[in-house]
C-alpha cells in the first residue's frame, strides 16, 4: 500500500486549471446557472489548455495524460461550475468511445478536432423507456443498400444541442436467444435526419445542455460503426462505468469542495453573539462533517481513477465512488445551507446551486440504486 499523494506534475496541472477556472469560470458560473447557458464558447480555450483531450494520446493532438489528471480537471472546474463540468465530462465520454473502440481511421478523423475543442462530443444511450433498462433500448439500425439506417429517440442527453460528434447505441437485430444485438455508431452532428429535439429545463447542472436527440432515417456508411456489430453494449457500458461514473464522482468532489470552502468563508465572516459563527462548536462540527465526506469522496474517486490508469478492474470502485460522492454532495450542500441560517436560501450565495447540482448528479451516469445493485452484485460474488 502506497501513501496517497499527487505527483508534482499533477499539482502543476491542478494549479493551471485553477487559474483558468478563476478567470474564465468562477466569475460567470452564477449567470450560466440563471440563464441556463452552456458556455460552449469555452471549448476551444479548454482545447488549447489540453482539457478537452486530457487523456487523448499526443499523436492525436491530446495532452497524453490519464484519468487521474482528468479527475483533477473535472474537480477544479466543478468547484465553481458543475454544469460546465458535466458538459466537458460528457465530451470525454464520446472521446473515450472513439479512442478505446475506434479503428485507426476513426481516431485520425475525429480525435484531433475533439482534443482541440473545435468539436464537442456526446454519448447518446438513454431512451424514454428508461435509462436503467439498458437492454430495453428501442432505437434501431438496419443495413439497407450498403448503408446503415438509424431511427430512434434518445433523451436526457448531455450536449444534445451542441455536439457535432454523437456516439449512438442502437439495436441491429436479435441473437439466437432473442436478446437485442446492440451496436454503436459515430454520427456526425450534421448528418441528414440527425437533430436535437426538446431541450430540458433542468433543476441543476444548468451550465450544460440536456435534451433529446433524434435519428430519423439517418443513413450512415459502414465505416461509421464503432468496433463491430454486437459490440455496442460493451462499448456503452464500459464507457459509462469507467469514464461516466468516474467523471460524475470527480464533479461531486468539486461540489463537496465548494461546500467546505463556502462554509469556512461564511462562518468566519458572519458575526453572531459578537464573534464569528465558526466559534460555535455545532457549526464547527458541520464543517468537519463536510470535510470528512470530501476526503472520503476524494479518496474513493482518485483510487478508482488510479486503478483505471493502471489498467486494473475499476467498474465496482467507480460505482462505489459515484454513489458515495453524489450522495455526500447532497448531504453537504444541505448541511452548508443549514449552517448559514437564512442566508443559506438566498440565491446571492452559491450553496443553493450546489444542492441543485448535487441532486441532478444523482441520476447522471446511473442512479444511486443502480450503483448499489452493482456494488451488491460484486460484493456478493466476492469481487
Ligand atoms: C443531468 C443528466 C445528464 C444525463 N446525461 C446523459 C447522457 O449524456 N447520455 C445518456 O445516455 N444519458 C444521460 N442521462 C440519463 C441518465 O443516464 C438516466 O437518467 C439514468 O440512467 C436513469 O434513467 P431514467 O432517468 O430513465 O430513470 P429510470 O431508469 O426510469 O429509473 C427510475 C427509478 O427507478 C429506479 N430503478 C430503476 N431500475 C431499478 C432496479 N433494477 N432496482 C432498483 N431501482 C431501480 C431508479 O433508481 C430510479 O429511482 C443524463 C441524466 C441526467 C439527469
Amino acid at each position: 500500500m502506497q501513501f496517497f499523494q499527487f505527483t508534482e506534475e499533477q499539482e502543476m496541472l491542478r494549479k493551471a486549471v485553477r487559474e483558468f477556472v478563476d478567470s474564465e469560470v468562477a466569475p460567470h458560473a452564477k449567470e450560466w446557472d440563471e440563464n441556463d447557458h452552456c458556455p460552449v464558447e469555452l471549448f476551444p480555450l479548454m482545447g488549447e489548455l489540453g482539457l478537452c483531450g486530457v487523456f487523448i494520446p499526443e499523436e492525436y493532438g491530446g495532452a497524453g495524460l490519464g484519468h487521474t489528471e482528468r479527475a483533477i480537471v473535472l474537480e477544479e472546474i466543478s468547484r465553481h461550475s458543475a454544469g460546465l463540468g458535466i458538459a466537458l465530462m460528457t465530451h470525454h465520454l464520446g472521446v473515450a468511445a472513439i479512442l478505446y473502440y475506434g479503428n485507426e481511421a476513426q481516431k485520425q478523423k475525429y480525435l484531433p478536432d475533439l482534443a482541440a475543442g473545435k468539436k464537442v462530443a456526446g454519448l447518446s444511450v438513454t431512451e424514454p423507456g428508461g435509462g436503467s433498462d439498458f437492454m430495453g433500448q428501442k432505437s434501431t439500425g438496419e443495413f439497407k443498400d450498403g448503408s446503415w439506417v438509424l431511427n430512434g429517440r434518445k433523451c436526457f442527453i448531455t450536449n444534445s444541442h451542441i455536439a457535432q460528434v454523437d456516439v449512438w447505441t442502437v439495436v441491429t437485430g436479435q441473437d439466437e436467444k432473442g436478446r437485442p444485438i446492440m451496436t454503436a455508431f459515430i454520427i456526425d452532428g450534421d448528418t441528414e435526419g440527425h437533430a436535437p429535439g426538446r431541450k430540458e429545463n433542468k433543476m441543476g447542472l444548468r451550465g450544460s445542455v440536456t435534451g433529446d436527440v433524434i435519428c430519423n432515417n439517418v443513413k450512415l456508411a459502414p465505416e461509421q460503426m464503432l468496433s463491430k456489430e454486437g459490440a455496442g453494449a460493451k462499448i456503452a457500458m464500459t464507457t459509462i462505468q469507467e469514464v461516466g461514473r468516474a467523471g460524475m464522482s470527480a464533479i461531486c468532489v468539486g461540489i463537496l469542495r465548494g461546500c467546505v470552502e463556502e462554509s469556512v468563508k461564511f462562518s468566519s465572516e458572519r458575526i453572531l453573539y459578537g464573534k464569528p459563527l465558526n466559534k460555535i462548536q455545532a457549526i464547527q462540527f458541520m464543517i468537519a462533517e463536510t470535510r470528512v465526506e470530501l476526503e472520503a469522496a476524494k479518496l474513493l474517486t482518485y483510487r478508482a481513477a488510479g486503478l483505471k490508469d493502471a489498467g486494473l478492474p475499476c467498474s465496482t470502485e467507480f460505482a462505489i465512488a459515484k454513489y458515495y460522492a453524489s450522495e455526500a454532495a447532497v448531504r453537504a450542500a444541505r448541511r452548508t445551507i443549514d449552517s448559514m441560517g437564512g442566508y443559506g436560501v438566498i440565491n446571492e450565495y452559491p450553496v443553493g446551486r450546489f444542492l441543485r447540482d448535487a441532486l441532478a448528479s444523482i441520476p447522471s451516469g446511473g442512479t444511486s440504486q443502480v450503483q448499489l445493485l452493482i456494488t451488491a452484485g460484486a460484493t456478493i460474488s466476492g469481487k
Side-chain angles (χ1 to χ4, degrees), residues 86 90 93 123-133 155-158 202 204-205 208 210 240 360 363-370 373:
I86 193 175
T90 307
L93 292 186
L123 178 72
S124 297
V125 173
T126 303
E127 294 189 0
S132 310
D133 183 11
C155 66
F156 299 143
I157 305 305
T158 306
K202 301 192 298 297
L205 298 172
S208 65
T210 310
I240 291 167
S364 321
T367 64
S368 286
Q369 287 73 27
V370 166
L373 281 176

Side-chain angles (χ1 to χ4, degrees), residues 99-173:
L99 176 63
Y100 299 131
Y101 296 98
N103 58 35
E104 193 51 38
Q106 290 167 334
K107 290 187 215 181
Q108 303 257 7
K109 179 176 171 192
Y110 289 105
L111 294 180
D113 280 353
L114 294 175
K118 287 184 187 159
K119 287 187 176 169
V120 176
L123 178 72
S124 297
V125 173
T126 303
E127 294 189 0
S132 310
D133 183 11
F134 177 83
M135 293 309 279
Q137 288 178 51
K138 299 276 181 281
S139 296
T140 55
E142 209 184 332
F143 195 65
K144 262 194 217 158
D145 304 327
S147 301
W148 285 95
V149 181
L150 269 53
N151 279 291
R153 176 158 77 93
K154 302 288 182 178
C155 66
F156 299 143
I157 305 305
T158 306
N159 298 342
S160 51
H161 290 59
I162 61 169
Q164 295 100 341
V165 178
D166 187 12
V167 175
W168 267 56
T169 49
V170 293
V171 177
T172 51

